[in-house]
Amino acid sequence: MDLQSNLWAEVDDQGRLILPKEISESYGVKPGNRVRIEPNANHIRLHRSTSNLQKVYIEPTDLCNLNCTICIRNGWDETLGRMSQETFEHILNGLKKLPSMPTVFFGGLGEPLFHPRTMDWIEQLKACGAPVELITNGTTLTEKNSRRLIKAGLDVLWVSLDGATAESYADVRLGAELPKVLANLNVFRQLRRGGHKPTPEIGIAFVAMRKNIGDLPELLKIGRQLGASRFSVSNVMPYTPDMQDQMLYRRTLSDIAYMTSPWLPRLSLPKFDFDDHTKDAFYSALNSGYNVNFAGNSLSGANDVCNFVEGGTMSISWDGSVSPCWPLMHNHISYLHGKEHRSFKHVIGNVNEQELEALWLEPGYVAYREKVQSFGFAPCTFCGGCDLSEANVEDCLGNEFPACGSCLWSQGVIQCP
């Protein structure tokens, strides 16, 4: 369904909103569902039903062939391993029993192509009609592997590129060479099916830091040359003390407190050219302390919004453990407000022991998703003043584990493809 088409809802004689069938089915809205709404000045934001499973992240392994400076493995002491065939079959069988097939994303916290069965599993999922995406560092994207991924029907290939020069790239991704990765990606581009919209689509994922943000314009040019149709830029998450110096969002964290405050004066800007004549004025407007609206869209972005929950996702680690999101898949340490922050993993259950749909609809998990969608957690991302902000165990508002107030994903600072 084309979600950009002109659709209309109806209002019955009791003032109830009746959604078009296409919208209800696409967003998993069923009779009896609770659906959160947010009123705005001229519209109502309708959130996805928390009962709708739309995307499943699968972590084939948390092992990797690189040793990147930005990797979460620099801040954890977790067991490393690979998903077994038995565990994947539990996932596959569970997916087949769902009312509709969700998108499957091979990623997690390791290199998916470092697992010898990942491409087999992509083929099996595509045979079942699942849309499938994969993210890779690109070092093992050989011609043979590219041909197989394309033949299997992979929908989107994401490649992590954190630099536009060999030197800046190697400074982040230790053990990798940018020319080789770009050559691999170019071969993939040439081998894929042609047409108006070549498949698989190519996506570029970039982690922005002080030392590489200047590479972004050139990287966008490289991406266009390689036929990329998707670009995802995230800030760096500091998993080691020294990586805090690379953060580009120190002021952002403090600004979150007032970005959407109803008491702030509002500044509404039109669309205009971004060039040497306008850049200084636009920069000043963004940092004016106003709540800035640009062409009808708030530039404060989304705050207190978990895109994992909003997107109807679940994450499955290599051992079959089910978690609500990537950040809660493994115990790890990161740094917030100059202090160590411990994140303990949150496991709902295991696909080796329970059906996938039963895990998704487990009452405690449903209640957790509804709680996160309302996001009644303490504002640790911009406060961080008490000891409770040093772990996700509890917060000052009485929320118990997992307390998500320190989550930078929920503030639009960190994001995943």
Side-chain angles (χ1 to χ4, degrees), residues 308-370:
F308 292 103
V309 169
E310 292 291 326
T313 77
M314 72 158 49
S315 299
I316 307 176
S317 69
W318 66 268
D319 65 358
S321 298
V322 172
S323 297
C325 59
W326 284 15
L328 290 176
M329 288 176 68
H330 297 278
N331 299 316
H332 64 275
I333 296 172
S334 59
Y335 290 82
L336 182 66
H337 303 299
K339 298 187 297 184
E340 184 178 284
H341 177 77
R342 290 186 173 271
S343 293
F344 295 97
K345 64 182 177 183
H346 179 41
V347 175
I348 309 301
N350 195 293
V351 295
N352 294 303
E353 300 166 358
Q354 292 175 269
E355 290 280 352
L356 194 69
E357 187 172 24
L359 285 164
W360 177 249
L361 297 178
E362 195 275 322
Y365 188 13
V366 174
Y368 169 78
R369 294 197 297 272
E370 290 182 350

Side-chain angles (χ1 to χ4, degrees), residues 15 26 49 94 97 99 102 113 117 140 154 169 174 213 266 285 334 385:
S26 178
S49 168
K97 295 177 183 178
L113 293 181
R117 302 301 301 273
T140 60
L154 181 71
Y169 176 84
L174 306 182
I213 189 63
R266 299 182 181 183
S334 59

Side-chain angles (χ1 to χ4, degrees), residues 304 375-383 395-399 403-406 411:
D304 296 343
F375 216 85
F377 299 101
C380 303
T381 47
F382 64 80
C383 176
D395 67 26
C396 61
L397 297 183
N399 291 299
C404 299
S406 297
Q411 305 304 330

Side-chain angles (χ1 to χ4, degrees), residues 194-245:
H196 179 66
K197 188 177 180 181
T199 55
E201 286 188 72
I202 295 174
I204 304 297
F206 176 79
V207 177
M209 295 169 277
R210 289 190 177 276
K211 63 182 178 181
N212 73 348
I213 189 63
D215 282 16
L216 182 57
E218 182 62 26
L219 186 63
L220 294 176
K221 293 180 183 177
I222 292 173
R224 291 193 195 98
Q225 294 168 1
L226 292 171
S229 56
R230 304 190 187 196
F231 295 85
S232 176
V233 179
S234 175
N235 279 295
V236 69
M237 186 72 171
Y239 294 114
T240 57
D242 58 309
M243 289 307 296
Q244 294 177 93
D245 295 334

Side-chain angles (χ1 to χ4, degrees), residues 93-167:
N93 292 333
L95 291 171
K96 290 178 180 178
K97 295 177 183 178
L98 294 174
S100 60
M101 186 67 73
T103 297
V104 176
F105 190 109
F106 283 94
L109 303 174
E111 166 55 46
L113 293 181
F114 205 47
H115 194 301
R117 302 301 301 273
T118 295
M119 285 187 285
D120 295 338
W121 295 343
I122 292 173
E123 291 170 349
Q124 292 177 56
L125 284 162
K126 290 302 301 180
C128 297
V132 180
E133 301 182 26
L134 175 140
I135 188 167
T136 176
N137 58 39
T139 58
T140 60
L141 191 66
T142 61
E143 180 177 342
K144 178 181 178 181
N145 287 342
S146 292
R147 289 184 182 278
R148 190 170 177 190
L149 288 171
I150 293 168
K151 184 178 180 181
L154 181 71
D155 294 276
V156 184
L157 174 79
W158 288 93
V159 179
S160 296
L161 295 177
D162 301 315
T165 68
E167 294 76 20

Side-chain angles (χ1 to χ4, degrees), residues 19-269:
L19 296 175
K21 183 179 179 181
E22 303 96 308
I23 292 292
S24 297
E25 291 179 348
S26 178
Y27 290 92
V29 180
K30 299 178 181 178
N33 283 167
R34 281 162 44 90
V35 180
R36 184 176 177 234
I37 61 173
E38 280 184 83
N40 207 311
N42 299 313
H43 64 268
I44 295 175
R45 182 183 181 193
L46 182 68
H47 292 253
R48 183 185 299 278
S49 168
T50 55
S51 66
N52 178 224
L53 179 56
Q54 187 72 14
K55 191 172 187 177
V56 176
Y57 289 99
I58 297 179
E59 177 187 73
T61 179
D62 57 0
L63 294 161
C64 187
N65 60 325
L66 300 181
N67 184 28
C68 301
T69 60
I70 59 175
C71 185
I72 190 174
R73 282 185 297 277
N74 294 317
W76 76 5
D77 183 18
E78 287 274 277
T79 301
L80 303 178
R82 291 185 172 93
M83 182 173 286
S84 68
Q85 179 64 29
E86 180 183 10
T87 296
F88 176 76
E89 288 174 358
H90 283 301
I91 297 172
L92 182 63
N93 292 333
L95 291 171
K96 290 178 180 178
K97 295 177 183 178
L98 294 174
S100 60
M101 186 67 73
T103 297
V104 176
F105 190 109
F106 283 94
L109 303 174
E111 166 55 46
L113 293 181
F114 205 47
H115 194 301
R117 302 301 301 273
T118 295
M119 285 187 285
D120 295 338
W121 295 343
I122 292 173
E123 291 170 349
Q124 292 177 56
L125 284 162
K126 290 302 301 180
C128 297
V132 180
E133 301 182 26
L134 175 140
I135 188 167
T136 176
N137 58 39
T139 58
T140 60
L141 191 66
T142 61
E143 180 177 342
K144 178 181 178 181
N145 287 342
S146 292
R147 289 184 182 278
R148 190 170 177 190
L149 288 171
I150 293 168
K151 184 178 180 181
L154 181 71
D155 294 276
V156 184
L157 174 79
W158 288 93
V159 179
S160 296
L161 295 177
D162 301 315
T165 68
E167 294 76 20
S168 61
Y169 176 84
D171 189 41
V172 177
R173 298 198 167 267
L174 306 182
E177 298 176 0
L178 182 61
K180 178 181 178 182
V181 172
L182 294 181
N184 290 345
L185 194 51
N186 191 48
V187 169
F188 183 90
R189 178 187 65 85
Q190 294 173 346
L191 291 173
R192 65 181 179 164
R193 301 178 182 89
H196 179 66
K197 188 177 180 181
T199 55
E201 286 188 72
I202 295 174
I204 304 297
F206 176 79
V207 177
M209 295 169 277
R210 289 190 177 276
K211 63 182 178 181
N212 73 348
I213 189 63
D215 282 16
L216 182 57
E218 182 62 26
L219 186 63
L220 294 176
K221 293 180 183 177
I222 292 173
R224 291 193 195 98
Q225 294 168 1
L226 292 171
S229 56
R230 304 190 187 196
F231 295 85
S232 176
V233 179
S234 175
N235 279 295
V236 69
M237 186 72 171
Y239 294 114
T240 57
D242 58 309
M243 289 307 296
Q244 294 177 93
D245 295 334
Q246 295 298 321
M247 292 166 50
L248 295 170
Y249 49 90
R250 291 184 184 276
R251 176 172 175 173
T252 296
L253 292 181
S254 60
D255 286 354
I256 288 172
Y258 66 79
M259 277 181 173
T260 56
S261 170
W263 310 110
L264 271 184
R266 299 182 181 183
L267 171 62
S268 180
L269 298 174

